[in-house]
Amino acid sequence: MENHSETPVLQQHRVLVANRGEIAIRIMQACIKLGIPFTAIYTAEDKDSGHVLFAREHGDGKALYRVSSYHDANELMSVADISGCTALHPGYGFFAEDFRFARRVTKRDRSMIFIGPSWKIIRELGDKINTKRLARSLGVPTVPGSDRPTYDEMEAENIAEEVFDFQLRHSIEHPLVLIKASAGGGGMGIEEVDDIDQFRSVYRRVRNYAARQFKDEGVLIEQRIMDYNHVEVQILGDSLGNVVHLFERECSVQRRHQKLIEECPSAFVTPELREKMTSAAVALAKRVGYRSAGTIEFLVDKDRNFYFCEMNTRIQVEHPVTEQVTGVDLVCEQLRIAAGEPISFKQEDLVMRGHAIECRICAEDTEMNFMPSPGVIKQITEPNGIGVRIDSYVYEGYEIPIYYDPMIGKLIVWATSREYAIERMRRVLHEYKLTGVKNNISYLRAIMDTPDFVEGHYDTGFIAKNGEYLQ
């Protein structure tokens, strides 16, 4: 939240929290911590959400406004005008990585502050081809495949044939090609093929999905790295040119490219690999003048070769594990950086203490292909104690709506070692009682008891390889 006076003062601003649920509460908590007034929004379907109750209890007379949709930019700007907001935090999802929205926020007659990187940076880093070229220019390895989005089916098929040939020449046992929506993110718009004869039908499906979901038919063709770990590096950059990394997170327990469990640090990453990946992440962020919190994602193969994947220009769902291990409040840092202040610490001040694990608690039916399970929560008992954190927005009697993401909370534990963190997570998952809606708690318990997870010997194929333990 830039202030053009000589001394930036956070308290001079009011933040519009342009999101819902647990991330909205998380942003409001950070505002309270720093003494910043806030305004939250809600829809008719969300009127009983925990973030609404939190805003009503902890905010002032301008803390809560109703909108018809979280996706309506006009309404959000109207609420900002009415409530006197001078800054906007998008959280994750919705408008968080929409450069057009960020541009609109900061280009208004009464300029607001978008709490995140500039709209130009969001646009530049949201283009997977641009970021791939940027990574290559810095000597950061990238996955073989497209150098630009393709909109032509024959051209796409020719690239796929080249990638298949590359894999065969390098004696890759199971050649696979990924077909990805260029404008996609969060694991959406990705499919794979193992036979060139299947390519056209899958390509058309991804292209049509991309057109509907992202209003852009551009498609990327890449080699599918098998048996890889999904590792991401958290970074912070400020307006003074400072960039720091906050180590890595292991995000390889996934189902359909959606993360279920995250850890910090990774049991797979060696100190040498950590140094290479974090240095690459800092170099990428510095090259573009990145400001705010961001995450750079890498694929790491079984031989610990790493490849740049993409950059997320927002706070991540899994940010709490980094906070628990480093002691840094990432959302508060976002707010300070937006005010024009420098990052509140230096790289050499950071150390990793202990180990943190996060489980995403979702209202879904694990026996019915993980279908969302909306309904009324009849009873909930949340675990607590030393090293236990819960980021959630639900309560007994709350009706989970069908309109939004089925994630109802995040259960995070910290302990002095990975072994003890797993033990603690086992215990608190058994203590976590939730009735009235189907949920994935028992499924998460099973993961904690699976030998590959316990030993730290897992990759993104974990779910498929361990079906016998996850019944």
Side-chain angles (χ1 to χ4, degrees), residues 72-85:
D72 191 322
N74 291 329
E75 280 199 274
L76 266 60
M77 294 300 96
S78 177
V79 169
D81 285 334
I82 295 169
S83 61
C85 286

Side-chain angles (χ1 to χ4, degrees), residues 136-405:
R136 286 178 177 172
S137 74
L138 294 172
V140 179
T142 61
V143 179
S146 309
D147 284 327
R148 58 182 174 79
T150 178
Y151 297 83
D152 180 81
E153 188 172 295
M154 287 300 295
E155 180 185 25
E157 187 170 17
N158 289 337
I159 296 171
E161 287 178 339
E162 291 175 4
V163 175
F164 273 124
D165 288 343
F166 174 88
Q167 295 178 80
L168 291 171
R169 290 197 307 271
H170 288 78
S171 302
I172 293 175
E173 189 174 354
H174 301 292
L176 283 172
V177 166
L178 277 186
I179 305 172
K180 304 167 62 176
S182 175
M188 296 188 295
I190 302 175
E191 293 201 39
E192 61 184 41
V193 292
D194 60 6
D195 188 325
I196 194 65
D197 292 335
Q198 304 171 354
F199 180 81
R200 289 195 179 190
S201 62
V202 179
Y203 169 83
R204 291 169 185 167
R205 187 160 62 242
V206 172
R207 183 189 61 193
N208 292 338
Y209 176 86
R212 291 194 311 272
Q213 191 73 19
F214 309 116
K215 306 299 187 291
D216 185 341
E217 292 186 1
V219 171
L220 304 178
I221 314 299
E222 291 182 348
Q223 176 184 328
R224 167 74 152 90
I225 305 294
M226 292 298 293
D227 301 325
Y228 71 87
N229 284 60
H230 184 149
V231 181
E232 58 189 32
V233 175
Q234 176 72 59
I235 62 100
L236 285 171
D238 63 29
S239 58
L240 304 180
N242 302 307
V243 177
V244 298
H245 70 81
L246 292 91
F247 311 105
E248 84 282 351
R249 295 187 288 257
E250 177 64 68
C251 305
S252 296
V253 179
Q254 301 180 5
R255 184 182 57 79
R256 299 175 190 156
H257 303 289
Q258 298 295 313
K259 302 166 188 172
L260 298 178
I261 294 174
E262 298 93 7
E263 299 188 65
C264 180
S266 168
F268 182 70
V269 172
T270 63
E272 294 77 17
L273 178 57
R274 177 175 297 119
E275 174 61 29
K276 291 178 182 178
M277 292 175 63
T278 54
S279 295
V282 169
L284 283 163
K286 282 187 173 180
R287 174 63 67 90
V288 299
Y290 194 84
R291 187 183 75 169
S292 194
T295 302
I296 297 177
E297 300 191 352
F298 296 96
L299 310 182
V300 186
D301 68 22
K302 59 185 178 182
D303 297 318
R304 291 188 171 84
N305 300 306
F306 71 95
Y307 305 89
F308 170 80
C309 181
E310 64 181 3
M311 182 165 187
N312 294 304
T313 55
R314 54 176 165 80
I315 197 74
Q316 295 275 92
V317 176
E318 57 272 21
H319 76 274
V321 291
T322 296
E323 294 184 328
Q324 296 302 104
V325 168
T326 63
V328 173
D329 187 318
L330 289 168
V331 182
C332 282
E333 288 298 322
Q334 279 190 299
L335 294 168
R336 292 190 182 102
I337 290 168
E341 296 183 8
I343 299 167
S344 65
F345 55 87
K346 299 185 182 301
Q347 188 69 65
E348 55 267 28
D349 298 329
L350 284 178
V351 294
M352 288 188 289
R353 292 187 173 89
H355 195 94
I357 301 174
E358 174 180 289
C359 287
R360 302 190 185 194
I361 309 297
C362 298
E364 57 188 14
D365 190 341
T366 59
E367 296 180 356
M368 293 294 291
N369 201 28
F370 295 87
M371 288 289 291
S373 178
V376 176
I377 295 177
K378 293 181 179 179
Q379 182 258 338
I380 183 169
T381 302
E382 295 179 336
N384 53 38
I386 296 172
V388 180
R389 168 177 167 179
I390 296 177
D391 287 13
S392 182
Y393 70 100
V394 303
Y395 51 89
E396 285 187 11
Y398 174 69
E399 183 172 4
I400 298 172
I402 63 173
Y403 310 99
Y404 307 113
D405 188 290

Side-chain angles (χ1 to χ4, degrees), residues 386-459:
I386 296 172
V388 180
R389 168 177 167 179
I390 296 177
D391 287 13
S392 182
Y393 70 100
V394 303
Y395 51 89
E396 285 187 11
Y398 174 69
E399 183 172 4
I400 298 172
I402 63 173
Y403 310 99
Y404 307 113
D405 188 290
M407 190 181 77
I408 58 177
K410 302 177 303 195
L411 176 59
I412 306 105
V413 301
W414 176 91
T416 54
S417 69
R418 185 172 188 271
E419 177 186 1
Y420 291 153
I422 292 173
E423 287 183 11
R424 180 163 287 165
M425 183 60 82
R426 283 195 191 111
R427 174 179 63 81
V428 297
L429 282 169
H430 279 282
E431 292 176 358
Y432 204 130
K433 307 299 182 184
L434 181 63
T435 64
V437 295
K438 299 281 188 179
N439 61 76
N440 66 338
I441 293 175
S442 61
Y443 189 81
L444 296 168
R445 289 178 194 149
I447 292 176
M448 290 297 127
D449 291 330
T450 301
D452 281 351
F453 182 83
V454 173
E455 294 164 8
H457 298 155
Y458 68 90
D459 53 41

